[in-house]
């Protein structure tokens, strides 16, 4: 009798494996960090072999901690850092170059040239994305054009492309399955999210041979069998979803109008729009939230580049707090008479502004401003940016349901920050009992496919709230604070007169 689902959570800085039981509870975890490579300014790479070895090692660690064997596992779900790009040799399984990470900016000039040619609407209309180095398509083109012999080998059908999920799947099945899911495909810049297929037109523009590409499947699907040589036995690989989409599933955001926001180094917010792929008028991304039984469910997505990173800056850059967890207590003790606003545009600012060249600024400093006021400003900047996204989403998509934001990530442990978030949004904020929403999403999809877990409706009913934070300030106070934020952002943007 199998008793677990094994979830592989392959992230940007570490690989993790978590075993979940029948009650959706994490039983054992293995985790290993791996090396970040920065070969040039703005370039970020990972060694695919290190990703593979840490993934296998963490799976072994989790099983050992639980005293379990792979025969105790009903199925495997994979969730992964999105957009990170690998091309490998089909015969050897070895990558032809380091993986180019989603954060990498090396193709910025190429994206600029495509925009100058008026091609961005062509990409956006088909993929829901903007022409940006963030996505996989231009990374594939760079690898083919800059790795010796790559283009010739690709045209001969000798190479395979994948995001990290596809690369892991290839290795886990000993090269028998070359596939991805619709959520990861929707982040490549070459997948038509309306037709549900790779776009010949976009492949031609980027000069990418179709023979490189994986088959696109549902999030919960048959992804083959685990090679028994890896973990001493075999089981089904039954699910794949990109990390933010897996968190959306883990938060049980299955109805249109439901929204989740993950607060880590940055922040990613997704709003379920149902079977309607909403075209944003506010520079949000249109993406696939999940796909089941051949039917995609769509979402609007907004990205905040700096969330927890602002608190890290207070700790590591300024040295004014010893631990990131102290920031909430500092903010609570701040002088309420001061109105310090921090715009943390350390690497530009994301949706809905998308100004890559603006830089951070702090407004409203006085002689009395100190660490506590700066801590409050840093945490409030995350709340204000979330309101930017929520406002843009509501402008793009009207729902009859009240928006309740379900939150996860490291920052949600701060009671002060979550209360302030509710106050700034003017909407309830729900913090779940489970902190492992991303891995849980992958586990649930695998359990759904294998019959280990019940239907979506039953899973939704199992979602448990740890605490609801409801707005406590007046509309006048809320809107006045937000107006100060908007003025500060206008002064920070490169287009400000």
């Amino acid at each position: 009798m199998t008793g677990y689902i094994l979830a592989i959570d392959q992230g940007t800085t570490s690989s993790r494996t978590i075993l979940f039981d029948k009650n959706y509870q994490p039983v054992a975890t293995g985790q290993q960090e791996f090396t970040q490579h920065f070969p040039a300014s703005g370039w970020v790479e990972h060694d695919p072999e290190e990703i593979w070895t840490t993934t296998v090692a963490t799976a072994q660690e989790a099983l050992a901690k639980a005293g379990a064997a792979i025969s105790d596992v009903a199925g495997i779900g994979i969730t992964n850092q999105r957009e990170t790009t690998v091309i490998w040799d089909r015969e050897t399984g070895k990558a032809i170059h380091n993986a180019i990470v989603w954060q990498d900016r090396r193709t910025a000039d190429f994206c600029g040239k495509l925009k100058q040619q008026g091609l961005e609407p062509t990409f956006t209309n088909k993929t829901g994305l903007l022409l940006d180095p963030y996505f996989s398509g231009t990374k594939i083109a760079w690898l083919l054009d800059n790795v010796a012999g790559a283009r010739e080998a690709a045209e001969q059908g000798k190479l395979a492309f994948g995001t990290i999920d596809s690369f892991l799947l290839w290795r886990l099945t000993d090269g028998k399955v070359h596939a991805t899911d619709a959520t990861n495909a929707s982040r490549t810049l070459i997948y038509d999210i309306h037709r549900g297929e790779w776009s010949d037109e976009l492949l031609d523009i980027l000069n990418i041979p179709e023979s490189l590409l994986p088959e696109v499947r549902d999030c919960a699907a048959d992804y083959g069998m685990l090679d028994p040589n890896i973990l001493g036995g075999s089981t089904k690989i039954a699910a794949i979803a990109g990390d933010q989409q897996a968190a959306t599933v883990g938060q049980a955001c299955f109805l249109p109008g439901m929204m989740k926001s993950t607060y880590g180094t940055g922040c990613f917010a997704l709003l379920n729009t149902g079977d309607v792929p909403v075209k944003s008028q506010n520079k949000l991304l249109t993406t696939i939230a999940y796909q089941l039984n051949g039917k995609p469910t769509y979402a609007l997505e907004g990205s905040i580049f700096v969330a927890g990173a602002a608190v890290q800056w207070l700790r590591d850059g300024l040295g004014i707090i010893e631990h990131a967890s102290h920031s909430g207590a500092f903010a609570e003790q701040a002088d309420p008479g001061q109105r310090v606003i921090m715009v943390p545009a350390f690497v530009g600012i994301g949706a809905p502004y998308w100004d890559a060249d603006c830089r951070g600024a702090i407004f409203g400093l006085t002689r009395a401003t100190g660490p506590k006021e700066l801590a409050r400003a840093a945490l409030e900047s995350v709340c204000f940016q979330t309101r930017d996204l929520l406002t843009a989403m509501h402008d793009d998509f009207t729902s009859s349901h009240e928006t309740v934001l379900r939150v996860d990530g490291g920052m949600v442990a701060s009671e002060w920050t979550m209360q302030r978030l509710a106050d700034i949004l003017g909407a309830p904020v729900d913090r779940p009992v489970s902190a492992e929403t991303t891995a849980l999403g992958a586990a649930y999809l695998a359990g759904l496919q294998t019959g280990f877990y019940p239907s979506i409706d039953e899973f939704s009913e199992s979602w448990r709230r740890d605490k609801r934070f409801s707005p406590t300030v007046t509309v006048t106070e809320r809107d006045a604070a937000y107006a100060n934020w908007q003025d500060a952002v206008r002064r920070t943007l490169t287009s400000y007169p």
Side-chain angles (χ1 to χ4, degrees):
M1 189 73 178
T2 53
Y4 304 107
I5 291 287
L6 187 148
I8 294 171
D9 182 358
Q10 204 298 301
T12 306
T13 59
S14 70
S15 300
R16 298 196 311 155
T17 298
I18 302 179
L19 281 177
F20 288 88
D21 66 14
K22 270 280 190 182
N23 298 314
Y24 315 111
Q25 296 303 304
V27 174
T29 301
Q31 180 167 355
Q32 288 189 15
E33 293 187 357
F34 55 86
T35 309
Q36 308 293 306
H37 299 273
F38 307 100
S41 178
W43 293 26
V44 189
E45 295 180 358
H46 292 157
D47 179 355
E49 291 302 320
E50 192 175 10
I51 286 177
W52 169 245
T53 56
T54 55
T55 297
V56 173
T58 59
Q60 293 170 335
E61 181 183 354
L63 289 167
K65 284 182 177 178
I70 196 65
S71 57
D72 299 316
V73 173
I76 295 173
I78 300 171
T79 184
N80 57 287
Q81 53 168 315
R82 303 176 304 173
E83 299 96 15
T84 297
T85 299
V86 189
I87 295 179
W88 64 92
D89 185 293
R90 288 181 179 273
E91 185 175 341
T92 67
K94 299 288 187 181
I96 65 170
H97 188 276
N98 272 350
I100 302 180
V101 179
W102 59 272
Q103 300 159 315
D104 189 282
R105 307 297 295 176
R106 76 185 66 187
T107 64
D109 289 345
F110 182 33
C111 291
K113 290 177 182 177
L114 294 172
K115 289 180 184 179
Q116 289 171 4
Q117 295 170 27
L119 290 169
E120 184 163 55
T122 302
F123 282 89
T124 300
N125 290 338
K126 291 181 182 295
T127 69
L129 309 177
L130 302 174
L131 260 178
D132 193 272
Y134 180 20
F135 306 110
S136 309
T138 56
K139 302 181 196 297
I140 301 170
W142 187 94
L143 287 167
L144 294 179
D145 290 336
N146 289 274
V147 176
R151 182 162 294 283
E152 180 182 2
E155 290 171 352
Q156 294 172 357
K158 295 180 179 178
L159 303 182
F161 150 74
T163 41
I164 294 299
D165 58 297
S166 292
F167 176 71
L168 292 178
L169 180 64
W170 179 280
R171 289 290 184 87
L172 290 168
T173 61
D174 192 28
K176 292 180 176 64
V177 182
H178 184 209
T180 189
D181 83 297
T183 68
N184 278 293
S186 75
R187 313 297 295 188
T188 59
L189 205 63
I190 52 176
Y191 184 73
D192 188 326
I193 62 171
H194 309 282
R195 298 173 63 88
E197 60 187 28
W198 300 113
S199 168
D200 290 338
E201 182 179 7
L202 301 182
L203 291 173
D204 287 343
I205 292 171
L206 296 177
N207 196 18
I208 296 172
E210 190 169 2
S211 62
L212 277 174
L213 306 179
E215 179 188 343
V216 181
R217 302 180 183 177
D218 289 346
C219 297
D222 178 2
Y223 284 98
M225 297 295 292
L226 174 69
D227 175 5
N229 295 315
I230 297 171
L231 295 174
S234 189
T235 192
K236 296 176 181 177
I237 302 171
I240 293 176
D243 54 8
Q244 300 308 319
Q245 284 91 341
T248 303
V249 171
Q251 288 277 35
C253 290
F254 294 121
L255 297 176
M258 296 186 75
M259 181 179 177
K260 79 88 195 175
S261 194
T262 300
Y263 295 94
T265 302
C267 166
F268 297 89
L270 272 76
L271 177 74
N272 185 323
T273 63
D275 57 5
V276 180
V278 174
K279 184 175 181 180
S280 177
Q281 304 302 314
N282 296 283
K283 297 184 178 179
L284 300 174
L285 305 177
T286 306
T287 195
I288 295 176
Y290 52 87
Q291 181 171 303
L292 299 172
N293 301 317
K295 181 182 177 182
T297 294
Y298 295 94
L300 285 170
E301 178 174 330
S303 303
I304 296 171
F305 295 157
V306 175
V311 178
Q312 292 168 350
W313 176 67
L314 296 181
R315 182 193 65 195
D316 303 332
L318 298 185
I320 61 175
I321 58 174
E322 186 175 353
H323 299 289
S325 59
H326 294 170
S327 58
F330 268 44
E332 193 169 7
Q333 298 166 25
D335 179 359
Q338 293 196 49
R339 290 292 178 263
V340 180
I341 300 287
M342 177 189 294
V343 182
F346 301 145
V347 290
I349 194 166
Y353 308 103
W354 286 101
D355 187 336
D357 297 319
C358 74
R359 289 296 176 261
I362 301 176
F363 298 87
L365 296 174
T366 71
R367 285 286 299 273
T369 301
K372 294 174 181 176
E373 289 70 35
L374 291 176
R376 176 179 175 131
L379 295 176
E380 281 191 328
S381 73
V382 179
C383 305
F384 289 130
Q385 289 179 97
T386 304
R387 179 161 170 176
D388 284 337
L389 296 181
L390 185 61
T391 301
M393 288 174 172
H394 280 172
D395 188 48
D396 285 331
F397 179 76
T398 302
S399 171
S400 58
H401 303 282
E402 176 192 27
T403 296
V404 177
L405 180 62
R406 291 184 171 178
V407 297
D408 53 76
M411 293 188 76
V412 305
S414 169
E415 299 272 319
W416 186 91
T417 306
M418 293 300 100
Q419 183 58 56
R420 190 59 178 155
L421 179 61
D423 289 341
I424 294 297
L425 295 181
V429 172
D430 282 356
R431 183 173 64 193
V433 169
S434 174
E436 297 290 358
T437 54
T438 301
L440 175 59
Y444 173 68
L445 290 166
L448 181 65
Q449 174 66 17
T450 59
F452 186 81
Y453 288 140
S455 68
I456 282 176
D457 289 342
E458 290 183 67
F459 177 66
S460 296
E461 291 174 4
S462 76
W463 186 90
R464 292 290 180 266
R465 182 174 63 213
D466 170 56
K467 185 172 183 179
R468 167 166 285 185
F469 299 86
S470 298
T472 58
V473 303
T474 65
V475 173
T476 300
E477 181 182 347
R478 175 186 310 127
D479 288 347
Y482 186 56
N484 288 338
W485 162 259
Q486 290 180 303
D487 180 61
V489 171
R490 280 193 293 270
R491 294 171 183 274
T492 306
L493 297 174
T494 53
S495 59
Y496 185 77

